[in-house]
Amino acid sequence: MSENKSSIKTLSMTREAGAPLDPPSQYAGLRQEAPISRVSVWAGRPTPWLVTRWEDARTVLASSGVSSLSTRPGFPTAVENAPAMPPGYFFGQDNPVHDTFRRALTREFMVKRVEALREPTVRIFDQLLGGMTDSGGSADLVEAVALPLPSLVICELLGVPYEEHDFFQSHSKILIDTAATGEEKAAAHGALGDYLERLVEDKRRKPEDDLVSRLGEHVNAGTFSVRDAADLGAFLLFAGHETTANMIGLGVLALLEHPEQLPRLYAGKAELANAVEELLRYLTIAHMGLSRVATEDITVGDITIRAGEGVIILLNSANRDADTFDDADTLDLARVNARQHLAFGYGIHQCLGQPLARMELQIVLPELFRRLPNLRIEPGRDVTFKQSSAAYGPSFMPITW
Ligand code: HEM
């Protein structure tokens, strides 16, 4: 089957007021009636295919016939001539470039290395929570804990010296601040890039047991340049900061809505791990979908996506597919197949930082509710959400305890 232009619909990816934890309700209809269809998502831009079911999402993401290179003709982007990503931002590269950079980091996210970050993560959480509770009886959870925690953990991961954490943290905050201007963001991006380049050079001279020092070894071996190594560091911040922050905020909201399920967080290690997987499935913060362009004709179900056509894989629809997840719109922290979710993507670009994200969430969510048993949204105040950001989550979360 090929495209029928007269049937092209326009789709808004905006969540509905009153249901901030759910994907837009029309996704359920698409899964039933037109699971793979050409839908206009950005006015005036070419019409990509939209993949809404779990099985089809996996097929497309695992296919060797799709590309992540945003400069390829047909790649679905909201704006024309979107700038090319530097190679170090390897989620936007195809193999072999993607593979070169990913391999340089694979060991950094193995269980042993991530476990070494557990103690620093607990310490960072303690400090942030202590600062929050010492300063009064209410706070914005996003500002106080959700945003600073992942960026400080990334400082530990990279090996940013302690006295430079504030610089790193304040600049990374500007990058994702919806109130910051384009110039402020560009300046913060430039300053962080320059800082990371200096850090790579310093660690090439005086290596320590950290990620940037190991990137320095790759530079010395000629695998990539100092600039590439700095970009890799900046990419890790980009990939692991707002994503984890949003999952912390939304996870707390979902648990506040379902207090009867809180005991699952304390029922044992496996139960806690499963609860986090279910929250990842249910909330799926990568809510704008993953973009790809076909490099060859690929057949998915009874649809042929032609070479050169764009595809958006809607993870937040796939994760609510009732063919895979029973009662998919219900949050069930004891769900047996929660781990089959696609919240971290699938295929060669599947999230490299997922063990770290899991560890952070498994620490923060139970500890927050254990330490603040009366945690709630401040009466009379509203949580606000970032609708247009690639990673969905709260921008402001007034809490009291
Ligand atoms: C809950 C938090 C997170 C979520 C939901 C998430 C989600 C994702 C998704 C959906 C992708 C796939 C992108 C694509 O296929 O185009 C991805 C890729 C990636 N993520 Fe995460 N992520 C999270 C946290 C992190 C953290 C903490 C790090 C590291 C510090 C990280 C590093 C990466 C990297 C390096 C990639 C690119 C992998 C590749 O292209 O091979 N992520 N993430």
Side-chain angles (χ1 to χ4, degrees):
M1 197 165 94
S2 202
E3 171 193 6
N4 171 0
K5 285 215 161 46
S6 64
S7 68
I8 289 178
K9 296 193 213 77
T10 301
L11 181 95
S12 158
M13 292 183 179
T14 308
R15 299 188 182 211
E16 283 139 41
L21 303 186
D22 292 318
S25 58
Q26 73 267 36
Y27 290 2
L30 282 174
R31 280 195 303 274
Q32 285 298 316
E33 285 144 33
I36 305 179
S37 57
R38 296 202 81 166
V39 177
S40 164
V41 273
W42 300 297
R45 301 288 299 132
T47 309
W49 290 97
L50 207 68
V51 176
T52 59
R53 282 191 186 159
W54 182 87
E55 190 72 57
D56 297 337
R58 294 205 335 160
T59 304
V60 175
L61 289 171
S63 166
S64 55
V66 294
S67 163
S68 288
L69 210 58
S70 63
T71 47
R72 264 184 197 266
F75 189 90
T77 51
V79 290
E80 207 173 343
N81 298 326
M85 286 275 172
Y89 287 70
F90 60 91
F91 81 107
Q93 300 293 332
D94 294 338
N95 285 341
V97 178
H98 163 264
D99 204 36
T100 302
F101 287 104
R102 185 165 172 129
R103 269 165 192 262
L105 290 177
T106 307
R107 294 175 71 85
E108 306 298 334
F109 294 96
M110 287 180 166
V111 175
K112 205 170 135 221
R113 290 260 164 85
V114 171
E115 271 308 307
L117 289 170
R118 181 175 288 277
E119 188 276 322
T121 305
V122 170
R123 174 174 39 79
I124 290 166
F125 174 74
D126 278 346
Q127 282 165 356
L128 293 171
L129 195 73
M132 182 179 92
T133 48
D134 285 352
S135 62
S138 62
D140 171 12
L141 183 70
V142 176
E143 172 89 21
V145 177
L147 269 185
L149 181 122
S151 115
L152 291 169
V153 171
I154 291 169
C155 282
E156 297 283 344
L157 171 77
L158 297 178
V160 172
Y162 185 75
E163 58 282 7
E164 287 157 16
H165 282 197
D166 274 353
F167 166 87
F168 195 85
Q169 151 74 12
S170 58
H171 283 74
S172 60
K173 203 174 122 194
I174 298 171
L175 291 182
I176 52 177
D177 183 354
T178 42
T181 62
E183 283 106 69
E184 284 167 337
K185 285 189 189 203
H189 190 259
L192 272 172
D194 292 346
Y195 169 74
L196 284 166
E197 256 190 62
R198 275 201 311 278
L199 192 64
V200 175
E201 289 290 23
D202 287 350
K203 303 239 173 193
R204 279 176 80 193
R205 279 191 296 273
K206 259 182 88 186
E208 290 173 272
D209 181 16
D210 56 43
L211 188 149
V212 173
S213 299
R214 287 184 286 270
L215 290 182
E217 286 168 23
H218 284 284
V219 175
N220 294 342
T223 319
F224 41 67
S225 68
V226 172
R227 182 75 246 174
D228 289 334
D231 284 341
L232 268 185
F235 170 44
L236 288 179
L237 176 67
F238 164 80
H241 184 193
E242 194 176 8
T243 44
T244 311
N246 289 353
M247 259 313 293
I248 293 173
L250 288 185
V252 168
L253 274 179
L255 292 165
L256 285 173
E257 277 190 13
H258 298 275
E260 75 291 349
Q261 297 196 39
L262 274 173
R264 296 288 307 176
L265 301 186
Y266 312 99
K269 235 174 135 184
E271 287 79 359
L272 169 61
N274 200 69
V276 166
E277 296 311 308
E278 172 66 351
L279 287 165
L280 285 159
R281 179 197 74 86
Y282 184 73
L283 298 165
T284 315
I285 53 145
H287 73 147
M288 296 293 190
L290 301 181
S291 291
R292 299 289 192 266
V293 59
T295 52
E296 57 190 58
D297 291 359
I298 48 176
T299 302
V300 191
D302 58 356
I303 298 283
T304 298
I305 298 173
R306 302 275 172 215
E309 292 178 342
V311 193
I312 294 180
I313 302 99
L314 276 186
L315 300 181
N316 57 345
S317 173
N319 278 343
R320 296 289 186 106
D321 187 339
D323 284 348
T324 304
F325 303 104
D326 290 342
D327 212 358
D329 286 324
T330 300
L331 178 76
D332 173 8
L333 299 187
R335 183 181 294 280
V336 284
N337 67 341
R339 223 186 142 98
Q340 282 183 286
H341 69 74
L342 303 179
F344 288 124
Y346 190 70
I348 63 163
H349 291 281
Q350 194 180 45
C351 181
L352 184 61
Q354 53 186 290
L356 178 59
R358 287 192 168 105
M359 192 261 278
E360 291 174 90
L361 294 169
Q362 289 170 15
I363 289 171
V364 172
L365 293 173
E367 269 308 286
L368 202 55
F369 282 93
R370 194 179 64 77
R371 305 262 290 268
L372 306 175
N374 293 320
L375 175 65
R376 61 199 182 281
I377 300 299
E378 221 182 318
R381 303 194 71 185
D382 289 327
V383 179
T384 56
F385 296 92
K386 294 172 277 191
Q387 285 283 5
S388 57
S389 159
Y392 178 75
S395 48
F396 175 65
M397 230 178 123
I399 55 158
T400 186
W401 50 87

Coordinates of all heavy atoms in Angstrom, one line a residue, residues 92-127:
G92 N 22.7 10.8 16.3 CA 22.3 11.3 15.0 C 23.2 10.9 13.9 O 23.3 11.5 12.8
Q93 N 24.0 9.8 14.1 CA 24.9 9.3 13.1 C 24.5 7.8 12.7 O 23.9 7.2 13.5 CB 26.3 9.2 13.7 CG 26.9 10.6 14.1 CD 27.1 11.5 12.9 OE1 27.3 11.1 11.8 NE2 27.0 12.8 13.1
D94 N 24.9 7.4 11.5 CA 24.8 6.0 11.2 C 26.1 5.3 11.3 O 27.1 6.0 11.5 CB 24.3 5.9 9.7 CG 22.9 6.5 9.5 OD1 22.2 6.6 10.4 OD2 22.6 6.9 8.3
N95 N 26.1 4.0 11.2 CA 27.3 3.3 11.2 C 28.1 3.5 9.9 O 27.4 3.8 8.9 CB 27.1 1.8 11.4 CG 26.7 1.5 12.9 OD1 27.0 2.3 13.7 ND2 26.1 0.4 13.1
P96 N 29.4 3.6 9.9 CA 30.3 3.2 11.0 C 30.6 4.3 12.0 O 31.2 4.1 13.0 CB 31.6 2.8 10.2 CG 31.6 3.7 9.0 CD 30.1 3.9 8.6
V97 N 30.2 5.6 11.7 CA 30.6 6.7 12.6 C 30.0 6.5 14.0 O 30.6 6.5 15.0 CB 30.2 8.1 12.0 CG1 30.5 9.2 13.0 CG2 30.8 8.3 10.7
H98 N 28.7 6.1 14.0 CA 27.9 5.9 15.2 C 28.7 4.8 16.0 O 28.9 5.0 17.2 CB 26.5 5.4 14.9 CG 25.8 4.7 16.0 ND1 25.8 3.4 16.1 CD2 25.1 5.2 17.0 CE1 25.1 3.1 17.2 NE2 24.7 4.2 17.8
D99 N 29.1 3.8 15.4 CA 29.7 2.6 16.1 C 31.0 3.0 16.7 O 31.3 2.6 17.9 CB 29.9 1.5 15.0 CG 30.0 0.2 15.7 OD1 29.3 0.0 16.7 OD2 30.8 -0.6 15.3
T100 N 31.8 3.9 16.0 CA 33.1 4.3 16.6 C 32.9 5.0 17.9 O 33.6 4.7 18.9 CB 33.8 5.3 15.6 OG1 33.9 4.6 14.4 CG2 35.1 5.8 16.1
F101 N 31.9 5.9 18.0 CA 31.7 6.7 19.2 C 31.0 5.9 20.3 O 31.3 5.9 21.4 CB 30.9 8.0 18.9 CG 31.7 9.0 18.1 CD1 31.6 9.2 16.8 CD2 32.7 9.7 18.8 CE1 32.3 10.1 16.1 CE2 33.4 10.7 18.2 CZ 33.3 10.9 16.8
R102 N 30.0 5.1 19.8 CA 29.3 4.3 20.8 C 30.3 3.3 21.5 O 30.2 3.1 22.7 CB 28.1 3.5 20.2 CG 27.3 2.8 21.2 CD 25.9 2.4 20.8 NE 25.3 1.5 21.8 CZ 24.1 1.7 22.3 NH1 23.3 2.6 21.9 NH2 23.7 0.8 23.2
R103 N 31.1 2.6 20.7 CA 32.1 1.7 21.3 C 33.0 2.3 22.3 O 33.4 1.7 23.3 CB 33.0 1.1 20.2 CG 32.5 -0.1 19.5 CD 33.3 -0.3 18.3 NE 32.7 -1.3 17.4 CZ 33.2 -2.5 17.4 NH1 34.2 -2.9 18.1 NH2 32.6 -3.4 16.6
A104 N 33.4 3.6 22.1 CA 34.3 4.3 23.0 C 33.6 4.5 24.4 O 34.3 4.7 25.4 CB 34.6 5.7 22.5
L105 N 32.3 4.4 24.4 CA 31.6 4.6 25.7 C 30.9 3.4 26.3 O 30.5 3.4 27.4 CB 30.4 5.6 25.5 CG 30.9 7.1 25.2 CD1 29.7 8.0 25.0 CD2 31.7 7.6 26.4
T106 N 30.9 2.3 25.5 CA 30.1 1.1 26.0 C 30.5 0.6 27.4 O 29.6 0.4 28.2 CB 30.3 -0.1 25.0 OG1 30.0 0.4 23.7 CG2 29.3 -1.2 25.3
R107 N 31.8 0.6 27.6 CA 32.2 0.1 28.9 C 31.9 1.0 30.1 O 31.7 0.6 31.2 CB 33.8 -0.2 28.9 CG 34.2 -1.3 28.0 CD 35.7 -1.3 27.9 NE 36.3 -1.8 29.2 CZ 36.4 -3.1 29.5 NH1 36.1 -4.0 28.6 NH2 36.9 -3.5 30.6
E108 N 31.7 2.3 29.7 CA 31.4 3.3 30.8 C 30.0 3.0 31.4 O 29.7 3.5 32.5 CB 31.4 4.7 30.2 CG 32.7 5.1 29.5 CD 33.9 5.0 30.4 OE1 33.7 5.2 31.6 OE2 35.0 4.8 29.9
F109 N 29.2 2.3 30.7 CA 27.8 2.1 31.2 C 27.6 0.6 31.6 O 26.4 0.2 31.7 CB 26.8 2.6 30.2 CG 26.8 4.1 30.1 CD1 27.5 4.6 29.0 CD2 26.2 4.9 31.0 CE1 27.6 6.0 28.9 CE2 26.3 6.3 30.9 CZ 27.0 6.8 29.8
M110 N 28.7 -0.1 31.8 CA 28.5 -1.5 32.2 C 28.2 -1.5 33.7 O 28.6 -0.5 34.4 CB 29.8 -2.3 31.9 CG 29.8 -2.6 30.4 SD 31.3 -3.6 30.0 CE 30.8 -4.1 28.4
V111 N 27.6 -2.6 34.2 CA 27.1 -2.6 35.6 C 28.1 -2.1 36.6 O 27.8 -1.3 37.5 CB 26.6 -4.0 35.9 CG1 26.2 -4.1 37.4 CG2 25.5 -4.4 35.0
K112 N 29.4 -2.6 36.5 CA 30.4 -2.3 37.5 C 30.6 -0.8 37.6 O 30.7 -0.2 38.7 CB 31.7 -3.0 37.2 CG 32.5 -3.2 38.4 CD 33.7 -4.2 38.1 CE 35.0 -3.6 38.7 NZ 36.1 -3.7 37.9
R113 N 30.8 -0.1 36.4 CA 31.0 1.3 36.4 C 29.9 2.1 36.9 O 30.0 3.1 37.7 CB 31.3 1.8 35.0 CG 32.6 1.3 34.4 CD 33.7 2.4 34.5 NE 35.0 1.9 34.3 CZ 35.6 1.6 33.1 NH1 34.9 1.9 32.0 NH2 36.8 1.2 33.0
V114 N 28.7 1.7 36.5 CA 27.5 2.4 37.0 C 27.3 2.2 38.5 O 26.9 3.1 39.2 CB 26.2 1.9 36.2 CG1 24.9 2.5 36.8 CG2 26.3 2.4 34.7
E115 N 27.6 1.0 39.0 CA 27.5 0.8 40.4 C 28.4 1.7 41.2 O 28.1 2.1 42.3 CB 27.8 -0.7 40.8 CG 26.5 -1.6 40.7 CD 25.4 -1.1 41.5 OE1 25.5 -0.8 42.7 OE2 24.3 -0.9 41.0
A116 N 29.6 2.0 40.6 CA 30.5 2.9 41.3 C 29.9 4.3 41.4 O 30.4 5.1 42.2 CB 31.8 2.9 40.5
L117 N 28.9 4.6 40.7 CA 28.3 5.9 40.8 C 27.1 5.9 41.8 O 26.5 6.9 42.0 CB 27.7 6.4 39.4 CG 28.8 6.7 38.4 CD1 28.2 6.9 37.0 CD2 29.5 8.0 38.8
R118 N 26.8 4.7 42.4 CA 25.7 4.7 43.3 C 25.9 5.5 44.5 O 25.1 6.3 44.9 CB 25.4 3.2 43.7 CG 24.2 3.0 44.7 CD 24.0 1.5 44.9 NE 23.4 0.9 43.8 CZ 22.1 0.9 43.5 NH1 21.3 1.5 44.2 NH2 21.7 0.2 42.4
E119 N 27.1 5.3 45.1 CA 27.4 6.1 46.4 C 27.4 7.6 46.1 O 26.7 8.3 46.8 CB 28.7 5.6 47.0 CG 29.0 6.1 48.3 CD 29.7 7.4 48.3 OE1 30.6 7.7 47.4 OE2 29.4 8.3 49.2
P120 N 28.0 8.1 45.1 CA 28.0 9.5 44.8 C 26.5 10.0 44.5 O 26.1 11.1 44.9 CB 28.8 9.7 43.5 CG 29.7 8.5 43.5 CD 29.1 7.4 44.2
T121 N 25.7 9.2 43.9 CA 24.3 9.6 43.6 C 23.5 9.7 44.9 O 22.8 10.7 45.1 CB 23.7 8.5 42.7 OG1 24.5 8.3 41.5 CG2 22.3 8.9 42.2
V122 N 23.7 8.8 45.8 CA 23.0 8.8 47.1 C 23.5 10.1 47.8 O 22.7 10.9 48.4 CB 23.3 7.6 48.0 CG1 22.9 7.8 49.4 CG2 22.7 6.3 47.4
R123 N 24.8 10.4 47.8 CA 25.3 11.6 48.5 C 24.7 12.9 47.8 O 24.2 13.8 48.6 CB 26.8 11.6 48.4 CG 27.5 12.9 48.9 CD 29.0 12.8 48.9 NE 29.7 12.1 47.8 CZ 29.9 12.7 46.6 NH1 29.5 13.9 46.4 NH2 30.5 12.0 45.7
I124 N 24.7 12.9 46.5 CA 24.1 14.1 45.8 C 22.7 14.3 46.2 O 22.2 15.4 46.5 CB 24.3 14.0 44.3 CG1 25.8 14.1 43.9 CG2 23.5 15.0 43.5 CD1 26.1 13.6 42.5
F125 N 21.9 13.2 46.2 CA 20.5 13.2 46.6 C 20.3 13.8 48.0 O 19.5 14.6 48.2 CB 19.9 11.9 46.4 CG 18.4 11.8 46.9 CD1 17.4 12.4 46.1 CD2 18.1 11.2 48.1 CE1 16.1 12.4 46.6 CE2 16.8 11.3 48.6 CZ 15.8 11.8 47.8
D126 N 21.1 13.2 48.9 CA 21.0 13.7 50.3 C 21.3 15.2 50.4 O 20.6 15.9 51.2 CB 22.1 13.0 51.2 CG 21.7 11.6 51.6 OD1 20.5 11.3 51.4 OD2 22.5 10.8 52.0
Q127 N 22.3 15.6 49.7 CA 22.6 17.1 49.8 C 21.5 17.9 49.3 O 21.1 18.9 49.8 CB 23.9 17.4 49.1 CG 25.2 17.0 49.9 CD 26.4 16.9 49.0 OE1 26.4 17.1 47.8 NE2 27.5 16.6 49.6

